[in-house]
């Protein structure tokens, strides 16, 4: 049942190329320049006329929402807010029938997300769901939605649910941008083709597994980790830190790289591994200077870099290489080495990878 892997988590990490394909199959037709999402077609005007989109979720699904904020605002120019469902529901939020709410949940059973959806509906908002489990409570409670086709996710640490959520959210943003006219035909076609290539890119990223295992061996006894990223890879840094925390029980924090100087830099010394997402992007030079700041304080750098990278590779203590893809799609590949790193550290520490202590797969308590 684990398909030859030692743990469900590893099986699910390795399933990503195929489940990302399952998620866009029949919905993304790059050659024809088409995106068709059954649940979305009738509601496109609702999205395009919305004052803003509010994304609600918890945990890893919330991180997917944060990635979507970058993608939606950039492509569609619709304001987006991303909220923890638990905070949203208890703070008397301002919400009207001009708002569109997107609720993201792998299980479709998360109690806080479900309660936030009910509240948003009461206030007249249109609620769109992105769930993995067919027929789940959230998929039934929302007005419409799109399923991710990740298949059952057994490992408590969410992996393939995250990348398929981002795949769906990216398709929605592209469809809305195309309809609204906020994306050029050229960019639209490019993204469609590049999205179709993501399964191949993920396969490529998975090839670093052995190398990442060696890095895990070096750092398995660290008691703290920092994860840094910028732009749409800031949420990936948060997700990398969450993955490490929940399955290895090592304390880890994710930060936007530029926030370092506002506090966390005080933590840097020779005992602090810092995982930096330093892929080719508009932020590359800025990330290089962030790395210099860390190096000059004797911090240890484990960098996620784009293949062919030289500058960061020279400065970093260890690198994990991912293939090239347009910046907006990079979270789908930069996530992979971070999943593998946390997996190997947890295995080396003999943790219960699939069922970490104190955690449940569906959080149905409030
Ligand atoms: O089923 P959901 O996506 O609503 O679950 C949300 C969180 O409970 C979940 O992502 C949790 O953070 C995972 N253990 C993260 O790996």
């Amino acid at each position: 049942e684990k398909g030859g892997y030692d743990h469900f988590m590893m099986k699910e990490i390795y399933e990503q190329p195929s489940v990302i394909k399952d998620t866009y199959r029949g919905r993304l037709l790059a050659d024809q320049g088409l995106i068709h999402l059954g649940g979305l077609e009738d509601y496109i005007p609702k999205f395009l006329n919305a004052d803003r989109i509010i994304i609600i979720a918890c945990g890893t699904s919330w991180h997917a929402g944060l990635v979507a904020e970058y993608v939606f605002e950039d492509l569609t120019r619709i304001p987006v807010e991303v909220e923890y469902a638990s905070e949203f529901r208890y703070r008397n939020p301002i919400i009207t029938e001009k708002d569109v709410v997107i609720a993201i949940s792998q299980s479709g059973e998360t109690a806080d997300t479900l309660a936030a959806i009910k509240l948003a509906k009461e206030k007249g908002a249109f609620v769109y769901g992105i769930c993995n489990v067919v027929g789940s409570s959230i998929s039934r409670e929302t007005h419409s939605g799109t399923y991710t086709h990740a298949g059952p996710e057994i490992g408590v640490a969410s992996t393939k649910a995250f990348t398929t959520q981002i795949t769906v959210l990216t398709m929605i943003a592209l469809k809305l941008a195309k309809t609204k006219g906020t994306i050029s035909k050229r960019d639209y076609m490019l993204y469609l083709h590049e999205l179709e290539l993501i399964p191949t890119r993920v396969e490529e990223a998975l090839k670093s597994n052995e190398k990442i295992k060696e890095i895990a061996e070096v750092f398995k006894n660290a008691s703290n980790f920092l994860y840094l990223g910028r732009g749409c890879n800031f949420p990936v840094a948060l997700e990398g830190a969450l993955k490490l925390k929940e399955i290895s029980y090592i304390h880890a924090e994710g930060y936007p790289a530029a926030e370092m100087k506002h506090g966390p830099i005080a933590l840097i010394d020779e005992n602090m591994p810092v995982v930096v997402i330093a892929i080719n992007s508009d932020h590359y030079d800025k990330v290089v200077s962030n790395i210099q700041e860390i190096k000059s304080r004797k911090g240890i750098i484990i960098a996620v870099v784009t293949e062919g990278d030289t500058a960061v590779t020279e400065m970093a203590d260890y690198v994990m290489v991912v293939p090239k893809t347009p910046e907006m799609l990079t979270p789908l590949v930069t996530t992979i080495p971070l999943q593998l790193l946390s997996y190997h550290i947890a295995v080396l520490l003999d943790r219960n990878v699939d069922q970490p202590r104190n955690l449940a797969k569906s959080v149905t308590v409030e």
Side-chain angles (χ1 to χ4, degrees), residues 58-61 104-108 110 113 156-158 165 242-243 246 361 363:
C58 303
T60 290
S61 298
I104 311 171
S105 175
Q106 188 285 129
S107 64
T110 302
T113 309
V156 164
S158 189
Q165 285 163 348
L242 176 63
K243 264 336 47 116
E246 66 181 335
K361 185 64 188 161
V363 183

Side-chain angles (χ1 to χ4, degrees), residues 233-252:
N233 281 292
F234 155 53
V236 176
L238 297 180
E239 172 61 8
L242 176 63
K243 264 336 47 116
L244 187 69
K245 276 184 267 213
E246 66 181 335
I247 61 167
S248 73
Y249 318 148
I250 295 174
H251 171 244

